[in-house]
Amino acid sequence: MTHFQIIGGGIAGASIAYHLAKNEQKVTVYDRHDQGQATSASAGIICPWTSQRRNKAWYRLVKAGAKYYPTFIKELEGLTGHSTGYQQNGALSLFKDSHIQGLAYERIMNKAAEAPEMGQVKKLSPDELRTLHPYLTTHFPAVYVEGGAQVSGNMLLETLKLAIKKLGGEWIATDQAPKELLGKVIYTAGAWANEYAEDANVRHQRAELLDIKVNTNINRSDIPVVMGLGPMYIVNNGNQHFYIGTTHEDTVQFDTSENEVNRDYLLTQANRYFTEHTIEKCYSSIGMRPLTDDNLPFIGPVNGVYVVNGLGSSGLTAGPVIGREVARFLLGLETTLNLTDYNHLA
């Protein structure tokens, strides 16, 4: 039995550790839990099929991630008895006019044959949109994707941590990794990657989400996630609260203080979508999102250490399937994905 030691307790490290522990391996996770950890500050949208990105290696990864999620969540919650906040209430993509709505519908439908897990895809009338999301304006035409889902990054990490311990693994909260690591070392430090594995060439963006409260007497929990115009998205946060995001700031800093300019910008964006209700801005969640120059994750060996990083904005979608695939690869088992697609040094 190999002792796998994992540096970093975000979605990548936790998922790899869980899948290794499932395969009866000795696992230790060292988690510094830095402020700004991307997993904890993520909106958690799982709906890759609506993306217009043309990178085939990226799409193979996130499509596999979305397909794996229902099985992964059922197994994980069954083992622990702990909720991950996973909800599959569908997803709404909004467009500026009906012409673009029609083009988008055709584009998304063209992916359905190879991704039946996306479920029903439908162009919505304003009345249908209002039925699915009574808080939202009907000004923007929408396409509905039944398989869209959301998950809480914080709740998922807590459930993974519990599962790892139940399976005999260790989870060690520490400010620093041990000076001497024996066995197989896996480095999954997110935005802090370059403290050790500089060759992985991971940088980071500061991303800010705003929690808002919509003042209304409507109280629904079965609300689809929303992909708004441009990079905006809206996720139900319970009790008439929603996350809206996100900002994107390239940085080399790790500042997690709230930025009033960003908060006002996100509140202005929220007012585009909740036109019939007053809105209160509540609090911000700031995450340091690791990414690479080609926006593909880095998965592979660097100087004798196995590095998994740079998951970017699709980290929560791809993280669980990356954990499964990396665990299988390291154990010499057959993988579904070709991981050399994500080794930038190969």
Side-chain angles (χ1 to χ4, degrees), residues 35-38 40-42 205-209 247 249 254-259 262 283-288:
Q35 291 295 313
Q37 181 195 70
S40 298
S42 172
Q205 288 181 335
R206 183 184 187 276
E208 189 161 347
L209 301 177
T247 60
E249 302 170 71
F254 293 89
D255 179 12
T256 58
S257 58
E258 293 187 2
N259 182 305
N262 288 341
Y283 65 90
S284 297
S285 294
I286 295 98
M288 303 299 163

Side-chain angles (χ1 to χ4, degrees), residues 89-119:
N89 297 323
L92 299 167
S93 287
L94 306 183
F95 305 96
K96 67 178 184 179
D97 58 44
S98 58
H99 174 67
I100 297 177
Q101 176 199 33
L103 295 175
Y105 171 77
E106 295 298 329
R107 172 175 54 81
I108 297 166
M109 279 299 298
N110 285 337
K111 300 178 181 180
E114 294 184 355
E117 57 274 7
M118 76 167 65

Side-chain angles (χ1 to χ4, degrees), residues 148-165:
Q150 67 183 80
V151 68
S152 165
N154 276 321
M155 294 173 70
L156 178 56
L157 282 183
E158 287 302 312
T159 307
L160 280 166
K161 185 189 303 185
L162 181 58
I164 290 163
K165 292 178 179 179

Side-chain angles (χ1 to χ4, degrees), residues 164-223:
I164 290 163
K165 292 178 179 179
K166 277 183 170 286
L167 293 168
E170 291 183 282
W171 188 287
I172 299 175
T174 179
D175 289 339
Q176 294 183 346
K179 294 182 180 178
E180 184 177 2
L181 292 168
L182 303 176
K184 184 72 175 180
V185 179
I186 305 172
Y187 196 71
T188 62
W192 295 264
N194 291 329
E195 290 181 11
Y196 180 79
E198 293 186 12
D199 287 344
N201 197 26
V202 175
R203 56 188 177 86
H204 67 274
Q205 288 181 335
R206 183 184 187 276
E208 189 161 347
L209 301 177
L210 179 63
D211 178 275
I212 59 170
K213 184 177 187 296
V214 179
N215 293 309
T216 174
N217 57 5
I218 303 169
N219 194 5
R220 287 264 302 275
S221 60
D222 58 336
I223 301 296

Side-chain angles (χ1 to χ4, degrees), residues 331-344:
L331 296 175
L333 303 173
E334 184 179 359
T335 61
T336 302
L337 296 168
N338 182 358
L339 295 183
T340 60
D341 286 344
Y342 311 101
N343 182 351
H344 304 214

Side-chain angles (χ1 to χ4, degrees), residues 39-275:
T39 304
S40 298
S42 172
I45 297 174
I46 304 161
C47 187
W49 316 286
T50 60
S51 173
Q52 296 188 62
R53 288 176 63 176
R54 296 183 179 182
N55 189 308
K56 292 181 180 179
W58 174 83
Y59 183 66
R60 283 195 297 272
L61 176 61
V62 293
K63 181 167 73 75
K67 181 179 180 178
Y68 181 47
Y69 242 96
T71 300
F72 168 71
I73 293 296
K74 183 178 180 180
E75 177 185 272
L76 186 60
E77 292 185 343
L79 173 64
T80 62
H82 194 276
S83 174
T84 59
Y86 179 78
Q87 300 178 60
Q88 194 169 38
N89 297 323
L92 299 167
S93 287
L94 306 183
F95 305 96
K96 67 178 184 179
D97 58 44
S98 58
H99 174 67
I100 297 177
Q101 176 199 33
L103 295 175
Y105 171 77
E106 295 298 329
R107 172 175 54 81
I108 297 166
M109 279 299 298
N110 285 337
K111 300 178 181 180
E114 294 184 355
E117 57 274 7
M118 76 167 65
Q120 180 187 27
V121 180
K122 185 177 181 180
K123 286 192 294 184
L124 298 181
S125 69
D127 287 343
E128 289 171 324
L129 174 57
R130 178 58 54 86
T131 298
L132 284 169
H133 202 312
Y135 304 85
L136 200 65
T137 180
T138 59
H139 177 72
F140 302 110
V143 172
Y144 172 71
V145 179
E146 183 182 26
Q150 67 183 80
V151 68
S152 165
N154 276 321
M155 294 173 70
L156 178 56
L157 282 183
E158 287 302 312
T159 307
L160 280 166
K161 185 189 303 185
L162 181 58
I164 290 163
K165 292 178 179 179
K166 277 183 170 286
L167 293 168
E170 291 183 282
W171 188 287
I172 299 175
T174 179
D175 289 339
Q176 294 183 346
K179 294 182 180 178
E180 184 177 2
L181 292 168
L182 303 176
K184 184 72 175 180
V185 179
I186 305 172
Y187 196 71
T188 62
W192 295 264
N194 291 329
E195 290 181 11
Y196 180 79
E198 293 186 12
D199 287 344
N201 197 26
V202 175
R203 56 188 177 86
H204 67 274
Q205 288 181 335
R206 183 184 187 276
E208 189 161 347
L209 301 177
L210 179 63
D211 178 275
I212 59 170
K213 184 177 187 296
V214 179
N215 293 309
T216 174
N217 57 5
I218 303 169
N219 194 5
R220 287 264 302 275
S221 60
D222 58 336
I223 301 296
V225 299
V226 177
M227 273 74 81
L229 305 187
M232 286 295 111
Y233 53 75
I234 302 166
V235 179
N236 184 25
N237 201 24
N239 298 317
Q240 300 168 344
H241 283 255
F242 294 85
Y243 276 135
I244 182 164
T246 181
T247 60
H248 303 85
E249 302 170 71
D250 291 325
T251 181
V252 295
Q253 306 300 320
F254 293 89
D255 179 12
T256 58
S257 58
E258 293 187 2
N259 182 305
E260 194 64 28
V261 173
N262 288 341
R263 293 184 71 190
D264 287 344
Y265 164 72
L266 291 171
L267 183 66
T268 299
Q269 291 296 312
N271 281 313
R272 298 180 72 188
Y273 302 104
F274 298 101
T275 55

